[in-house]
Amino acid sequence: MVPVSVVIITKNEAALIEDCIKMASLITDDIVVIDNDSTDGTPLIASRYGCRVFQKSWSGYGANKNKGVAQARYNWILSIDADEVPDLELIKSLHNLTFDEPNVVYDIKFKSYFGKKLIRFGNWGNDHHLRLFNRSLVKWGETEVHETLFLPSGAEIKSIAGYIHHHSVTDIDDFERKAILYAQLSAAKYYKAGKKATFIKLYFSPAFGFLRNYIIRLGFLDGAEGLAIARVIYKNTRLKYAYLKQYKELPQTQNTYRNELVIEQVN
């Protein structure tokens, strides 16, 4: 085992979390699961595999990840989702690290799947994220969606061999549902940041995103799945600015409604 705590946030992940935990258990003796009121047995599965499970109310992706980081036994954190599975090459790399440079943050490559198909091109084909860090210097930004790590001055980013296999969506219906959810959350994030739904953002940004993903980044080489990804990315971009426009037009007295709408989408 290595001195790393694996932190996972969950909400009804019973169909996926077992594979994630099995591989995580080859890394560490400390797997922390922050669960948001799952009703499908997710906490029971996690507990059965020796994870420490904590029930926490939903505060946003970054905030709930920070709740898990706070419960970890080790300062080094590997943050993964229940639909993400470290492979053996990555696990070997982790076992070879010395963990004596707390200012280093590790960038990990991803392999993403649409159903059972590995996506090799488009936005998903060259995916990578900062996921291994020391909590004494680094923490998650507490935004509603697309959370990022706050890095200290002087932080050094290094790559590490191996992959996290991301089982992103099961089918097109699952993808569509997630696109609507993330559009709602992104709109709320943009609203708080004071961003505007301009004509360009509403109409040109979705089209450019489609062309970049499907043509420039060769998404068409992934066949029907590549087209589906490009189309849903277009929809997500269009919706998040459409929702933002709606939020801007709501009277300020309806702030509570706006917040409840986003919470309803998460739950």
Side-chain angles (χ1 to χ4, degrees):
M1 298 295 102
V2 296
V4 170
S5 293
V6 173
V7 175
I8 309 168
I9 62 172
T10 60
K11 169 79 173 184
N12 291 332
E13 300 286 1
L16 297 168
I17 195 171
E18 191 169 354
D19 288 341
C20 172
I21 294 173
K22 283 180 179 178
M23 298 307 285
S25 66
L26 300 178
I27 299 169
T28 181
D29 59 358
D30 187 40
I31 303 174
V32 176
V33 173
I34 301 297
D35 187 72
N36 175 32
D37 297 327
S38 290
T39 58
D40 66 347
T42 296
L44 182 61
I45 295 171
S47 297
R48 190 165 67 235
Y49 279 94
C51 303
R52 295 191 293 126
V53 180
F54 301 87
Q55 290 290 342
K56 300 290 184 180
S57 60
W58 181 254
S59 305
Y61 289 96
N64 273 42
K65 287 185 176 183
N66 280 334
K67 292 175 185 178
V69 169
Q71 297 291 341
R73 290 176 180 152
Y74 302 113
N75 280 337
W76 281 96
I77 307 295
L78 175 63
S79 179
I80 57 178
D81 295 336
D83 60 357
E84 297 173 351
V85 182
D87 66 12
L88 289 174
E89 183 181 12
L90 176 58
I91 291 170
K92 181 179 178 181
S93 296
L94 292 172
H95 279 271
N96 288 332
L97 289 179
T98 58
F99 297 101
D100 58 358
E101 299 177 288
N103 65 311
V104 173
V105 179
Y106 290 93
D107 191 22
I108 302 176
K109 294 175 290 185
F110 276 55
K111 289 186 177 182
S112 298
Y113 297 80
F114 192 111
K116 294 184 179 181
K117 180 173 181 176
L118 173 63
I119 302 301
R120 301 180 182 275
F121 303 95
N123 290 3
W124 291 14
N126 188 32
D127 203 15
H128 57 94
H129 299 281
L130 302 177
R131 290 297 190 84
L132 179 62
F133 57 92
N134 192 298
R135 69 177 175 186
S136 65
L137 298 176
V138 179
K139 67 180 238 178
W140 288 104
E142 299 195 352
T143 54
E144 289 86 353
V145 67
H146 303 311
E147 65 283 0
T148 57
L149 288 171
F150 287 155
L151 305 184
S153 175
E156 183 180 358
I157 296 175
K158 291 184 179 182
S159 298
I160 187 171
Y163 290 86
I164 288 177
H165 294 255
H166 185 197
H167 299 274
S168 307
V169 294
T170 55
D171 52 33
I172 189 64
D173 290 336
D174 181 34
F175 197 14
E176 293 267 2
R177 179 187 61 79
K178 288 182 177 179
I180 295 171
L181 166 62
Y182 293 145
Q184 289 274 7
L185 294 172
S186 294
K189 176 182 176 181
Y190 292 169
Y191 180 83
K192 289 181 180 179
K195 292 188 177 182
K196 296 180 179 180
T198 63
F199 183 87
I200 290 176
K201 292 294 187 182
L202 275 166
Y203 297 102
F204 285 92
S205 292
F208 178 73
F210 178 92
L211 290 173
R212 180 178 59 185
N213 180 70
Y214 193 62
I215 304 299
I216 298 172
R217 294 182 175 172
L218 307 179
F220 65 89
L221 294 178
D222 284 312
E225 290 84 359
L227 178 59
I229 291 168
R231 290 176 64 182
V232 174
I233 287 175
Y234 172 93
K235 179 177 181 178
N236 170 264
T237 306
R238 179 75 175 85
L239 279 176
K240 66 185 178 183
Y241 288 109
Y243 287 137
L244 176 59
K245 187 172 184 291
Q246 291 177 14
Y247 289 171
K248 289 284 188 179
E249 292 171 351
L250 283 174
Q252 289 302 309
T253 55
Q254 294 191 32
N255 279 336
T256 300
Y257 164 77
R258 183 184 295 110
N259 294 334
E260 287 177 351
L261 179 62
V262 173
I263 293 170
E264 180 182 351
Q265 287 290 334
V266 171
N267 290 317

